[in-house]
Amino acid sequence: CRAKSNRAALHISRELALVNTMTKLTPAYLLYSSLTLLSGSASAFQAASSSFNTHPALSISQRGGATTMAIHSTNEAASSETSSSISISSLSSQEILDQYDTFLLDMWGVMHNGSEPYEGVLEAVKELKRAGKKMIILSNSSKRKENSHKMLKKLGFDIDDFDNIITSGDVSHALLKNNAQTLGCQNWDTLTNLVEQKSTNVFVFGSGDEDESYCTSAGWTLTSIEEANLILARGTFTINDGSTVVHKKDDEMEYWRVMEQSMMVAAEKKLPMLVSNPDKVRPDEGLPPMPGAIGDTYERFIWTTHCAPVGDMTEEKARDYVKRIGKPFQEVFDIALQDSNPSRAIMIGDALETDVTGATNAGVGSLWVVQDGIHAEDVAKMSAEGVISGFNGNDFTYAYGKKVMPNYVTEHFRW
């Protein structure tokens, strides 16, 4: 554990502000969030960087102008003596169509770029529907699924093509109401206890879009950090205590100051935090930070406030105070797979840390989209195998040291 004197190195305004800088200097998946100012982080980046393009289980070639990757399984279940080689396949590949019945689809970075669908995506969805495949959208959006319905319709999708649309915001809302089991996943015991005790005051790091109604409709009251029983990390644009809203776009320095002060107060009290979007960066220009980065930083505050010699807090125990809802965590996969055979399901996503890691943890297949979404720029610079190698060399991701490997890799989500 770092000494208490190192708390100055955890200055939140600099940590999250550095996210953009760090992602420009290093691959996007190497997001350390609250670790960026701790000693040793630079050497960790160098160690990860030195492994690029040296992964023994990957090879890439060009065939007819299209990237083709051979992936040799490194899963523990695979035999170390008889590793099999699996080539990239399009969605129309008979191998994929024969092997999988349920297709779990990420939205942003796979189906659209935030403003328009990617080329060929609308056709791919229709072809999967014609093939009789079950399609379930798994989105880490912190908003309710009705917002996703509107977005999909605006982009030209037919929402009736999808068997279910699951958003982190919808599942988090159910947890706040203590009825997540109605969706098909478990409640969080911490929230269950608070609801049963009628301790339902919440302090919100918000998106600025219906943050208050989101909370009040679940039975919670926005309040100051001093009176709060819970922190909700829903966005990275506002801070809302029920009476005052601090907007980052209006006064960024004040926003960071209030965030840091709030986290210090909350960490002293060991307040729990619910993160309703575990993404750490958004696949936009500059990869701006998302609520997952707030969750990581708050864990660091909890740990450094209560570690030795003043307490016995460890990094692992600090995780107990931060509940993340969304990929790669269990709840959304439990909901998505409740009527499906995991061995017959495949996750299609652009992010190693959320989509591919989540698929690995859930025991489903994975198809990694590499030329759209969060890793596209890094793949273009250093190759897909370099990105995977660097990710697996970083212990500070949601994989928590587990090595991940997509079953398939494709340039785009197309038929």
Side-chain angles (χ1 to χ4, degrees):
C1 180
R2 305 289 177 184
K4 290 280 284 187
S5 59
N6 278 351
R7 277 185 61 186
L10 294 170
H11 195 281
I12 185 66
S13 61
R14 294 184 60 201
E15 284 183 306
L16 292 184
L18 274 176
V19 169
N20 287 334
T21 303
M22 300 303 290
T23 51
K24 290 176 182 176
L25 295 174
T26 61
Y29 53 85
L30 290 178
L31 179 62
Y32 278 74
S33 186
S34 59
L35 291 175
T36 54
L37 294 181
L38 290 175
S39 61
S41 60
S43 61
F45 277 118
Q46 293 170 359
S49 300
S50 67
S51 67
F52 294 160
N53 299 314
T54 61
H55 200 292
L58 295 168
S59 61
I60 287 187
S61 60
Q62 295 288 329
R63 296 183 185 174
T67 304
T68 300
M69 176 184 286
I71 302 180
H72 301 272
S73 176
T74 57
N75 294 334
E76 293 179 2
S79 167
S80 59
E81 297 179 357
T82 58
S83 295
S84 58
S85 178
I86 304 174
S87 297
I88 283 181
S89 298
S90 67
L91 283 176
S92 60
S93 162
Q94 200 61 45
E95 177 181 349
I96 289 181
L97 295 178
D98 288 344
Q99 188 170 349
Y100 301 107
D101 303 317
T102 300
F103 287 71
L104 309 178
L105 309 177
D106 180 38
M107 281 184 61
W108 198 333
V110 172
M111 297 173 65
H112 66 83
N113 63 6
S115 59
E116 60 184 4
Y118 291 117
E119 180 182 348
V121 170
L122 293 173
E123 178 190 4
V125 169
K126 287 297 184 184
E127 291 295 339
L128 285 172
K129 185 69 174 179
R130 277 192 279 269
K133 302 302 181 182
K134 179 187 290 187
M135 287 180 286
I136 298 172
I137 289 177
L138 284 185
S139 170
N140 276 3
S141 169
S142 61
K143 298 180 181 180
R144 307 294 300 280
K145 66 180 179 181
E146 289 79 13
N147 180 270
S148 296
H149 289 180
K150 293 177 183 178
M151 169 69 82
L152 290 168
K153 288 179 180 179
K154 181 180 178 181
L155 296 175
F157 292 93
D158 182 351
I159 63 171
D160 291 333
D161 287 340
F162 305 104
D163 294 82
N164 199 359
I165 298 174
I166 302 166
T167 70
S168 300
D170 233 27
V171 181
S172 297
H173 192 265
L175 262 72
L176 288 168
K177 295 175 69 176
N178 196 36
N179 67 357
Q181 71 279 358
T182 62
L183 298 180
C185 69
Q186 296 297 312
N187 289 310
W188 184 23
D189 288 344
T190 297
L191 278 185
T192 296
N193 293 335
L194 290 175
V195 171
E196 289 178 348
Q197 297 165 9
K198 301 187 183 305
S199 300
T200 52
N201 289 335
V202 62
F203 181 83
V204 180
F205 295 121
S207 66
D209 186 6
E210 300 180 347
D211 294 317
E212 186 165 357
S213 62
Y214 179 89
C215 295
T216 56
S217 64
W220 289 73
T221 302
L222 275 70
T223 190
S224 68
I225 193 65
E226 288 80 11
E227 297 179 352
N229 307 112
L230 173 74
I231 304 171
L232 174 63
R234 187 169 184 258
T236 55
F237 300 103
T238 63
I239 301 174
N240 193 334
D241 66 3
S243 60
T244 303
V245 181
V246 178
H247 293 266
K248 183 165 62 175
K249 67 178 181 180
D250 293 339
D251 190 339
E252 187 166 353
M253 291 305 296
E254 176 66 5
Y255 173 87
W256 295 126
R257 186 195 69 77
V258 173
M259 177 175 280
E260 178 181 24
Q261 182 62 32
S262 301
M263 285 201 182
M264 292 175 65
V265 172
E268 289 285 352
K269 298 168 59 178
K270 296 184 182 178
L271 285 184
M273 173 183 282
L274 178 65
V275 180
S276 61
N277 181 339
D279 288 349
K280 297 178 181 176
V281 295
R282 186 171 66 250
D284 273 349
E285 181 70 24
L287 298 173
M290 291 288 279
I294 294 178
D296 280 6
T297 301
Y298 184 58
E299 275 188 9
R300 193 66 34 183
F301 271 66
I302 289 278
W303 175 41
T304 56
T305 300
H306 298 282
C307 66
V310 298
D312 60 357
M313 184 67 67
T314 64
E315 286 186 88
E316 292 74 19
K317 287 175 65 175
R319 288 181 201 158
D320 293 340
Y321 294 88
V322 180
K323 182 69 170 180
R324 299 168 174 88
I325 296 297
K327 299 167 297 180
F329 300 99
Q330 178 180 352
E331 289 80 8
V332 293
F333 286 94
D334 284 347
I335 297 169
L337 298 170
Q338 56 189 320
D339 296 319
S340 299
N341 180 351
S343 67
R344 300 282 299 173
I346 185 169
M347 177 79 223
I348 302 177
D350 65 303
L352 290 173
E353 185 164 18
T354 54
D355 301 314
V356 177
T357 298
T360 301
N361 293 342
V364 306
S366 57
L367 173 60
W368 183 34
V369 176
V370 296
Q371 289 194 11
D372 296 315
I374 197 168
H375 296 296
E377 183 178 345
D378 293 319
V379 168
K381 290 179 179 178
M382 68 182 66
S383 78
E385 74 269 36
V387 172
I388 293 175
S389 180
F391 178 83
N392 283 330
N394 176 11
D395 290 334
F396 302 104
T397 70
Y398 291 145
Y400 298 122
K402 178 185 291 185
K403 309 306 178 186
V404 302
M405 182 73 66
N407 298 101
Y408 301 91
V409 178
T410 190
E411 294 176 349
H412 311 279
F413 177 40
R414 295 177 186 170
W415 190 254

